[in-house]
Amino acid sequence: MLRVLARPDPDGVSDAVLVAAACAQDLHAQEALVRKHGLMLNRLCFRLLGSREDLDDLVQETFLRAFRSLKTLARPEAFRGWLAEIAVRTAHNLIRRRRLMSRLGLRTSQPIVIDELIAPAAPLEAMLALGAIYRIVETLPAKTRIALVLRRVEGRQLDEVAQLMGASLASVKRWLAQADRALAAERGAWEVQG
Amino acid sequence: MTRPERPLGEHMVDATSEIDVSRQWRRIEARLWRPRARLRGWLAACGALGVATSLALVLASRQARPPAPAPIVAAPVVTPEPFFAEGTRIESAAGTKRELALPDGSRIALRPGGVLTLARSAKDEVRVVLERGSADLDVLRDSDRRFVVAVLDVEFVVAGARFVVSVSEGARGKTAAAEVERGAIEVHRSIARSVLLAGESWTSGVSVASAGPGPTADDASVASTPRTASSGRATADDARSLLAVATRARWQGRQRDAARALDELSRRFPNDPRAALAAFELGRIQLDTLHEAGHAAGSFRTAMNLARDPVLREDAATRYVEALDRGHDAAACLSAREAYLAEYSTGAHAGHVTASCRDR
């Protein structure tokens, strides 16, 4: 299909304005939101999944859920963070479903290829840390895995992790402690601090 | 926990680019259900094509002298046939297959001689009625939208799957059938429910014309047949088939049949990766549905022994304690509780397990 409509300039309009227009089913506003936050969302989803498998599906599903429930967003200017919350929830469901399908023999698990995740110019310490994390994520419960990625890979604060996961701070700390033990078993030299 | 100076994610590759985002937007747009916007897009596209054609004509006329160039006729744009309006009835002639694209990206290929109707097309439900012949459907996953294919008195409910449905006419009347290539579909017929998984096929068996009092709850199950089986009721000579039999039985409310299949799986195929899960699911049925705590404890114990997945092993250990508790086996319960807490002191279920095995 020939696209002749002018591409919106996503950086020139605030999220509040775009969200209001998107709520009114304005296709241009929805496209602008996708283009404005698409890279961030892809980055987050990629880190949660650890591969490109299902990445497109996850990103598309997240945006679709966001657009369908846009009217429930109390603060339109907080669209980016709200979108990330939806992505985390959707990723959690996807990870659990993939695990169940694998258990039932209805899906062949694709192992995470560490070399495809790490940038060539990454310092050695970062390479070792990322390698350890992504070697164990497939063995962790879904919530523990997500908490670990949000905290260590995304670098989110504990309260941010809790908000993104819709969980209490205590739960997040428990999951991270579980992840730490798994990392310690994996790497041996990982320092665990209470 | 030590927090690194920079997030580790900044040392990861960028998985996507603007081009990927553009592609994703096109798919999102297609699933947003915007027939008017598509129409605007088509009109705009036609308008732009007209402008481009006119411009080409003007340029050509400036460069060349009479005779005047022949008018440029745009080549026809070939796309899947649009299929928007509710109530649209589609027929495919003999020897011709018609391909239809739905706004949500799902596709239907109506085979030659087929007739179908789009009975309903809404954001929460799409309903297609196959009146004659066969159709190949590729339905995209959408948890907010119910996709139904009605064939005779059968409804095939789809969440996301690739499958073939057909209606055929024989000496005993019409028969509905389905075969799943990918995903899963639910088969609804009167009060009967069953699930078809990838690689499985189903036929109504009982003809509509000669139907008596109506199908029973087990009607669909008798006809459901994995590809490897040759008779009516599914044969199960491997772990996967047994698991499929158990899954179908659970969907149909036949818990004892499901338990038998799961028990057989875990006993005959202990080295199969599914054996531990089968034992775990068996324990759940025995404890939660059949209220057979003693048997359930044995099943969870088996699951613990077979499980290679540490998460499954921990879950099985939790339920093992619960089964012993509900079976009032105090000594065994206390022993299992101590063993659990020794290994999973900070596990997700530690609090629940700690509270188990109280003196009664």
Side-chain angles (χ1 to χ4, degrees):
Chain A
M1 180 192 300
L2 178 64
R3 198 104 178 102
V4 296
L5 302 174
R7 282 182 60 178
D9 175 14
D11 294 325
V13 185
S14 72
D15 279 352
V17 171
L18 289 174
V19 166
C23 278
Q25 310 296 309
D26 185 317
L27 201 63
H28 297 296
Q30 290 174 340
E31 180 181 3
L33 287 169
V34 169
R35 292 190 184 281
K36 189 173 180 182
H37 302 288
L39 286 178
M40 176 281 295
L41 189 62
N42 272 277
R43 205 173 297 127
L44 171 63
C45 292
F46 178 65
R47 293 170 183 177
L48 289 171
L49 295 178
S51 72
R52 288 178 177 76
E53 187 188 5
D54 295 328
L55 177 61
D56 274 358
D57 282 350
L58 179 55
V59 169
Q60 288 156 30
E61 186 65 27
T62 299
F63 272 117
L64 283 166
R65 289 183 183 212
F67 290 144
R68 287 170 184 156
S69 57
L70 208 49
K71 289 186 170 62
T72 66
L73 177 57
R75 293 173 50 235
E77 65 275 14
F79 176 81
R80 193 177 183 90
W82 181 71
L83 186 69
E85 288 178 35
I86 295 175
V88 168
R89 278 202 304 276
T90 310
H92 174 256
N93 291 340
L94 174 62
I95 290 167
R96 290 194 66 189
R97 190 164 57 246
R98 276 162 54 168
R99 188 163 290 172
L100 176 62
M101 297 288 280
S102 295
R103 285 180 181 174
L104 294 176
L106 302 175
R107 174 182 175 271
T108 305
S109 301
Q110 301 297 328
I112 293 179
V113 181
I114 309 290
D115 291 342
E116 292 179 0
L117 299 180
I118 303 174
L124 180 61
E125 190 178 292
M127 287 173 59
L128 291 174
L130 284 168
I133 289 171
Y134 282 100
R135 266 194 297 276
I136 68 162
V137 289
E138 291 286 285
T139 66
L140 298 176
K143 285 194 190 302
T144 304
R145 166 183 181 156
I146 289 173
L148 174 63
V149 170
L150 290 176
R151 177 74 171 139
R152 296 310 312 278
V153 180
E154 281 275 300
R156 306 273 183 160
Q157 301 276 6
L158 286 176
D159 56 348
E160 280 181 281
V161 175
Q163 178 164 357
L164 284 169
M165 296 184 69
S168 67
L169 207 54
S171 295
V172 170
K173 287 180 179 176
R174 188 174 70 247
W175 294 326
L176 291 173
Q178 185 180 15
D180 270 349
R181 288 194 299 278
L183 282 169
E186 166 68 20
R187 294 185 64 212
W190 195 258
E191 182 179 11
V192 176
Q193 291 184 353
Chain B
M1 174 183 293
T2 307
R3 189 168 184 220
E5 300 262 338
R6 287 175 61 188
L8 289 171
E10 292 186 16
H11 301 293
M12 292 177 69
V13 299
D14 265 332
T16 47
S17 64
E18 293 280 356
I19 296 173
D20 296 307
V21 174
S22 292
R23 183 188 70 246
Q24 290 165 352
W25 162 244
R26 285 196 294 277
R27 291 180 185 169
I28 292 167
E29 184 188 15
R31 290 178 62 184
L32 279 172
W33 180 228
R34 290 287 163 77
R36 289 185 180 179
R38 278 179 167 256
L39 181 59
R40 282 201 297 272
W42 276 108
L43 290 175
C46 291
L49 196 57
V51 167
T53 303
S54 301
L55 187 60
L57 283 173
V58 168
L59 289 174
S61 70
R62 285 182 181 179
Q63 292 174 6
R65 287 295 171 190
I72 298 171
V73 178
V77 177
V78 179
T79 62
E81 206 165 327
F83 191 39
F84 297 114
E86 278 189 15
T88 303
R89 191 167 183 268
I90 302 288
E91 286 191 50
S92 59
T96 303
K97 180 193 280 191
R98 294 186 71 173
E99 296 209 2
L100 313 161
L102 298 186
D104 69 346
S106 299
R107 303 177 70 85
I108 302 176
L110 184 62
R111 296 187 184 180
V115 179
L116 64 76
T117 301
L118 181 60
R120 178 172 164 77
S121 181
K123 288 173 76 172
D124 59 342
E125 185 180 80
V126 173
R127 189 177 182 86
V128 173
V129 179
L130 181 67
E131 300 175 29
R132 189 177 74 215
S134 301
D136 297 75
L137 292 97
D138 193 343
V139 177
L140 296 186
R141 278 196 310 265
D142 186 344
S143 57
D144 295 328
R145 183 260 294 123
R146 190 168 181 263
F147 196 109
V148 179
V149 182
V151 184
L152 301 175
D153 62 338
V154 183
E155 286 189 345
F156 300 99
V157 184
V158 190
R162 184 179 294 153
F163 62 106
V164 178
V165 290
S166 62
V167 54
S168 57
E169 190 146 6
R172 297 177 60 188
K174 293 184 180 178
T175 303
E179 186 173 323
V180 180
E181 179 186 322
R182 174 179 57 79
I185 65 174
E186 290 180 34
V187 184
H188 296 209
R189 191 181 185 198
S190 183
I191 60 171
R193 298 283 185 274
S194 59
V195 174
L196 284 187
L197 306 177
E200 297 181 345
S201 59
W202 181 96
T203 179
S204 59
V206 177
S207 68
V208 175
S210 62
T216 66
D218 283 334
D219 182 74
S221 69
V222 172
S224 179
T225 313
R227 273 185 181 166
T228 54
S230 57
S231 57
R233 188 164 289 275
T235 62
D237 51 4
D238 60 22
R240 190 177 191 284
S241 299
L242 280 168
L243 197 55
V245 167
T247 303
R248 266 198 300 280
R250 290 186 76 178
W251 271 96
Q252 292 159 11
R254 297 181 289 111
Q255 302 301 335
R256 288 219 176 267
D257 289 343
R260 266 193 292 275
L262 293 169
D263 184 45
E264 184 175 349
L265 195 167
S266 60
R267 283 189 296 101
R268 286 179 56 194
F269 305 99
N271 296 322
D272 189 278
R274 290 165 280 249
L277 180 63
F280 183 80
E281 291 301 312
L282 173 60
R284 286 182 58 198
I285 292 173
Q286 289 167 331
L287 187 62
D288 301 331
T289 305
L290 303 177
H291 307 294
E292 297 171 354
H295 290 144
S299 297
F300 288 127
R301 186 78 208 168
T302 300
M304 288 165 62
N305 292 336
L306 295 177
R308 302 168 195 174
D309 181 342
V311 174
L312 180 59
R313 192 182 310 120
E314 181 178 348
D315 286 349
T318 305
R319 298 304 310 266
Y320 177 55
V321 174
E322 182 183 352
L324 291 170
D325 193 12
R326 286 165 62 173
H328 306 299
D329 190 341
C333 188
L334 286 169
S335 175
R337 185 183 73 179
E338 295 313 309
Y340 178 93
L341 292 175
E343 187 164 357
Y344 307 109
S345 58
T346 57
H349 310 291
H352 173 72
V353 171
T354 301
S356 302
C357 314
R358 298 294 183 197
D359 292 337
R360 298 180 191 279

